[in-house]
Amino acid sequence: MTSFSHIPVLLNEVLDEFADYQGTIIDATLGLGGHSFALLEQNKNINIIGIDKDIEAIALAKERLNIFGARFKALHSSFSNGIKDILSKNDNIIGILADIGISSYQVDNPNRGFSFYSDSLDMRMDTNSHLTAKMVINSYSKDELHRIFIEYGEIKNPTFITKIILDYRKNHTINTAKELSQLIESHSKINSKIHPATLVFQSLRIEVNDELGELKRFLNNIENLKKAKVAIISFHSLEDRIVKEKFKTWAKSCICSNDTIKCICGNNHKKGDILYKKPIIPSQNEIRANKRSRSAKMRCFRFYE
């Protein structure tokens, strides 16, 4: 069997959320199957359908979870399309888990181009898709680069970063993640524990994989669930904000516009409850054991019958 080093984020907290459930849970972002393995091992009364757009991750997860036999099934798909397909064929879904961060397997695989030190510049979660980070960084216009750095990286100096890249592109093609990270690092004057190229890489990854659009479509596709719990783990403020606002919308009984003087919608549109006022975050012990967990936030929602 292939060796795995993946450490699932907020694992104990995820296990607590689904400890007493019976039925089918969808692991919408299967990855290497760490959460699914632990859930199936803990609770003999659940089955899991895992979704992932990364065909390599699907293969590795199947290898890892084949000990559970028919209790586990996998679907190769984006999680927004996959969830729509599964829900159209199943009416007994009692839980959905989505860990929407990049998997450690993708970061650690030098051929995937996610790492600062990779000799490729790919960043596709689905290797069958067309757009790569190399295409973005070498072909996007000044305005397009500026846009993604602001929208997806919330970079404070997007004009400066864009100029560095455009100036370099006059005489060079940026072929590797290592080359790009070194270019940005060489122009950075800020001493920080975080690599100076972090937000640029985040911007590229979100653009290449349409991550925010994918998350929004996923949430729209599950909003008519009944009697099910949803747990979503995000890793940066853009994702967390989308999840937070969608949960707040689902929890509203009145959906009239703010300028409506008197409710005319019927005041009965509440879909369920937000389970915690604040997101669940990793303990200091978990962060010490797995530094990649430090920015994780989990929000949970329970749909009514």
Side-chain angles (χ1 to χ4, degrees):
M1 177 177 286
T2 305
S3 175
F4 297 93
S5 60
H6 174 59
I7 304 174
V9 172
L10 292 168
L11 179 58
N12 291 331
E13 290 80 1
V14 168
L15 291 175
D16 287 344
E17 290 302 320
F18 297 104
D20 299 321
Y21 277 55
Q22 296 184 28
T24 300
I25 293 173
I26 300 173
D27 185 344
T29 51
L30 178 63
L32 296 184
H35 286 114
S36 285
F37 187 99
L39 285 165
L40 288 165
E41 189 175 49
Q42 170 188 258
N43 189 342
K44 304 298 189 277
N45 296 314
I46 64 168
N47 302 315
I48 288 182
I49 303 173
I51 306 169
D52 208 290
K53 63 170 65 176
D54 188 332
I55 195 65
E56 293 179 3
I58 287 276
L60 292 168
K62 282 183 175 180
E63 179 184 358
R64 188 180 194 185
L65 278 70
N66 65 6
I67 63 171
F68 298 106
R71 294 178 59 209
F72 172 75
K73 295 179 180 178
L75 174 65
H76 178 222
S77 173
S78 67
F79 68 96
S80 66
N81 287 331
I83 203 80
K84 186 177 182 180
D85 182 48
I86 293 169
L87 293 179
S88 70
K89 300 172 183 176
N90 295 269
D91 56 7
N92 64 334
I93 303 300
I94 50 87
I96 294 176
L97 170 66
D99 173 351
I100 53 179
I102 183 174
S103 79
S104 58
Y105 166 75
Q106 291 166 333
V107 173
D108 295 337
N109 186 334
N111 297 320
R112 303 299 294 272
F114 289 98
S115 165
F116 300 129
Y117 313 105
S118 176
D119 288 327
S120 71
L121 186 53
D122 193 314
M123 297 193 189
R124 290 175 297 172
M125 293 179 181
D126 180 355
T127 53
N128 291 322
S129 63
H130 173 67
L131 187 64
T132 67
K134 181 178 177 180
M135 293 169 62
V136 171
I137 208 67
N138 286 291
S139 67
Y140 271 29
S141 68
K142 173 184 176 180
D143 288 344
E144 288 173 319
L145 288 175
H146 197 267
R147 172 187 62 82
I148 67 170
F149 292 155
I150 291 176
E151 291 183 10
Y152 301 153
E154 298 181 303
I155 293 174
K156 294 181 180 179
N157 55 345
T159 302
F160 177 66
I161 294 294
T162 302
K163 185 177 186 304
I164 290 170
I165 293 167
L166 292 175
D167 287 347
Y168 188 82
R169 266 172 34 181
K170 292 176 182 178
N171 300 305
H172 305 85
T173 298
I174 302 174
N175 290 304
T176 70
K178 184 189 299 183
E179 185 179 6
L180 176 59
S181 64
Q182 289 176 345
L183 172 65
I184 296 169
E185 190 173 20
S186 68
H187 288 81
S188 176
K189 300 178 182 179
I190 300 174
N191 292 321
S192 172
K193 295 180 180 179
I194 300 175
H195 195 289
T198 298
L199 296 179
V200 172
F201 274 53
Q202 174 180 300
S203 302
L204 291 172
R205 197 193 72 234
I206 291 174
E207 175 71 7
V208 167
N209 298 288
D210 188 23
E211 292 180 26
L212 301 186
E214 179 73 359
L215 175 59
K216 291 174 182 177
R217 291 189 292 273
F218 168 77
L219 292 168
N220 288 338
N221 287 340
I222 66 172
E223 64 182 4
N224 292 318
L225 278 171
K226 303 294 182 184
K227 198 178 179 182
K229 179 184 285 187
V230 176
I232 301 179
I233 302 171
S234 62
F235 288 82
H236 57 74
S237 60
L238 298 172
E239 294 169 335
D240 182 60
R241 193 178 305 138
I242 291 170
V243 175
K244 179 182 178 181
E245 291 305 312
K246 181 59 77 171
F247 282 9
K248 286 172 64 177
T249 298
W250 290 345
K252 285 183 178 179
S253 184
C254 175
I255 57 173
C256 294
S257 63
N258 292 332
D259 57 359
T260 301
I261 298 175
K262 184 178 180 180
C263 176
I264 57 174
C265 72
N267 199 28
N268 63 347
H269 295 276
K270 187 173 182 178
K271 297 178 181 293
D273 295 314
I274 298 170
L275 297 187
Y276 310 102
K277 289 184 178 180
K278 295 183 178 180
I280 298 170
I281 60 175
S283 67
Q284 288 302 311
N285 286 338
E286 178 173 1
I287 293 172
R288 281 191 289 269
N290 179 16
K291 291 183 179 179
R292 289 177 181 171
S293 71
R294 63 183 179 271
S295 57
K297 293 181 179 179
M298 181 167 72
R299 295 185 185 272
C300 299
F301 189 93
R302 183 185 290 113
F303 285 94
Y304 293 153
E305 294 187 29

